[in-house]
Amino acid sequence: MQYIELFSDTQTRPTAAMRAAMAAAEVGDEQRMRDPTVNRLRERICTLLGKDDAVFLPSGTMCNEIALAVHCRPGDEVICDATAHVVHFEGGGPAALAGVMARSVHGERGVFGPEAVRGAFRGDNRYAPRSRVVVVEQTANMGGGTVWPLATIESVAAAARECGLVMHLDGARLMNAVVATGVAAARYCAPFDSVWIDFTKGLGAPVGAVLAGDAAFIREAWRIKQRWGGAMRQAGILAAAALHALDHHVERLADDHVNARRLAEGLAALPGIAIDPGSVETNIVIFDVAGTSMTAAAFVAALESCAVGMVATGPGTVRAVTHLDVSADDIEEALRRVGAALVQQARP
Ligand SMILES: *Cc1c(COP(=O)(O)O)cnc(C)c1O
């Protein structure tokens, strides 16, 4: 039985064409700014995201952590959604590396508004941490791949500016939002001081992310990249994969979105599963299994035994993510297997 991997869009393998592009890449010393392929990628990202300068990094996590370390002093506070990646999935990096606290606000499916920023802002008070950065996650991963509407970003940015706060975009899946809405990446990025996109999510590259901002920000980011061992050598091999992804794997994200919506529709029709398919905007489907007789962990284990990969995101919630290694037929087959697993489970 062929395994259907819906655990995450990070699980893709580089295609033959991507591997060929990597093999053919012209390379040099990245940290001396002499890798022509990395430099091409940096320029391409500056244009795409509308920023002055950019730096290639091994991971999205490093983009977030370096950005916070540049923007903040120890003891500062970061305002973000309670579901944010920086809070839950970066090993406590904001505290360990930048020495900052997280002030979680409770948005709707990972999206909060300007009133949340004003409410969390500490003001001029030496008893409290200093509010410093607002983090927006586009799309909101644990919100279920929710797209932050441009107007919401702009109103949050206006509130942040009133309070003297810096705006940082975790754009791990920014291109999913771009493809879902038709809003240009640079428009989404304009209200932010620092932004990044990941190449290892829906874009299907094996390694790499690019962090962008103004020249002074990137100069400081480079200092920390060097300090933390993120400066590379012949990294053009990796940048070539990212460039290939930008050329060939962006528009096709629309297929992932169609597949995710279809998966949600099929799941909604199964007994004990709750999901509103209309809420699925991009490639992430988070659904409720509380109505089955299984916990999320048991549900995921039952699927694993019929060769479908998903992940429990809470006691009663499960996440499935579509990507370029999953076809429309795979989704239909996954739905058949989920249905069979539920029948199997219901048997006394
Ligand atoms: C995956 C992800 C990251 C981290 O990216 P890596 O490249 O895996 O380190 C950060 N933020 C969000 C929203 C993500 O989904």
Side-chain angles (χ1 to χ4, degrees):
M1 194 164 23
Q2 196 210 317
Y3 194 85
I4 302 173
E5 180 60 277
L6 298 168
F7 173 85
S8 171
D9 48 6
T10 55
Q11 303 301 296
T12 55
R13 305 291 203 279
T15 62
M18 180 178 277
R19 286 169 187 262
M22 296 171 77
E26 233 191 299
V27 297
D29 189 349
E30 187 258 357
Q31 59 185 257
R32 295 176 69 208
M33 312 302 280
R34 290 184 186 178
D35 187 299
T37 310
V38 170
N39 290 340
R40 260 204 300 138
L41 177 64
R42 291 174 44 240
E43 279 160 30
R44 178 101 178 249
I45 292 295
C46 287
T47 306
L48 180 69
L49 306 186
K51 299 298 177 194
D52 296 337
D53 202 358
V55 58
F56 189 42
L57 291 168
S59 70
T61 299
M62 198 180 271
C63 293
N64 274 337
E65 297 302 328
I66 286 180
L68 295 182
V70 172
H71 293 313
C72 301
R73 291 185 302 201
D76 285 356
E77 199 166 61
V78 174
I79 297 170
C80 60
D81 191 77
T83 63
H85 197 280
V86 285
V87 170
H88 298 285
F89 304 113
E90 300 186 10
L97 300 170
V100 300
M101 318 251 298
R103 184 95 193 265
S104 295
V105 301
H106 294 271
E108 181 65 31
R109 295 171 54 82
V111 178
F112 53 85
E115 64 297 331
V117 174
R118 291 192 192 98
F121 177 59
R122 301 287 193 168
D124 182 15
N125 172 3
R126 68 182 159 85
Y127 288 89
R130 184 177 68 144
S131 303
R132 181 63 183 152
V133 186
V134 176
V135 175
V136 165
E137 202 174 285
Q138 180 76 301
T139 63
N141 181 347
M142 287 299 146
T146 327
V147 176
W148 275 72
L150 187 57
T152 306
I153 292 174
E154 286 171 347
S155 62
V156 162
R161 304 256 176 267
E162 271 167 39
C163 302
L165 302 174
V166 167
M167 288 284 287
H168 172 69
L169 180 66
D170 172 339
R173 296 187 182 80
L174 173 65
M175 299 316 290
N176 290 85
V178 167
V179 168
T181 61
V183 174
R187 287 201 71 198
Y188 277 131
C189 292
F192 292 94
D193 301 285
S194 52
V195 300
W196 62 270
I197 67 169
D198 212 332
F199 294 100
T200 64
K201 301 289 166 75
L203 296 182
V207 183
V210 174
L211 175 66
D214 68 19
F217 169 79
I218 294 298
R219 202 174 318 114
E220 287 307 302
W222 256 109
R223 179 178 295 281
I224 297 171
K225 165 177 155 112
Q226 199 74 46
R227 179 182 301 158
W228 290 351
M232 295 177 275
R233 299 297 184 188
Q234 290 72 32
I237 287 216
L238 304 175
L243 285 164
H244 180 86
L246 289 174
D247 287 335
H248 302 283
H249 294 170
V250 174
E251 269 130 59
R252 62 149 310 284
L253 291 172
D255 302 341
D256 297 344
H257 301 169
V258 169
N259 287 342
R261 181 68 72 94
R262 168 65 196 131
L263 178 66
E265 283 165 358
L267 288 170
L270 293 172
I273 295 183
I275 165 97
D276 169 13
S279 70
V280 175
E281 298 176 69
T282 56
N283 68 330
I284 299 178
V285 182
I286 296 181
F287 56 98
D288 203 313
V289 297
T292 70
S293 54
M294 288 181 273
T295 61
F299 181 90
V300 167
L303 291 195
E304 188 66 34
S305 65
C306 53
V308 176
M310 295 191 190
V311 62
T313 52
T317 55
V318 173
R319 188 189 74 167
V321 187
T322 58
H323 52 76
L324 88 170
D325 288 350
V326 177
S327 68
D329 287 346
D330 290 337
I331 295 298
E332 299 306 326
E333 176 59 22
L335 285 168
R336 278 190 289 276
R337 292 183 198 174
V338 176
L342 288 172
V343 169
Q344 179 81 21
Q345 186 63 28
R347 239 174 240 146

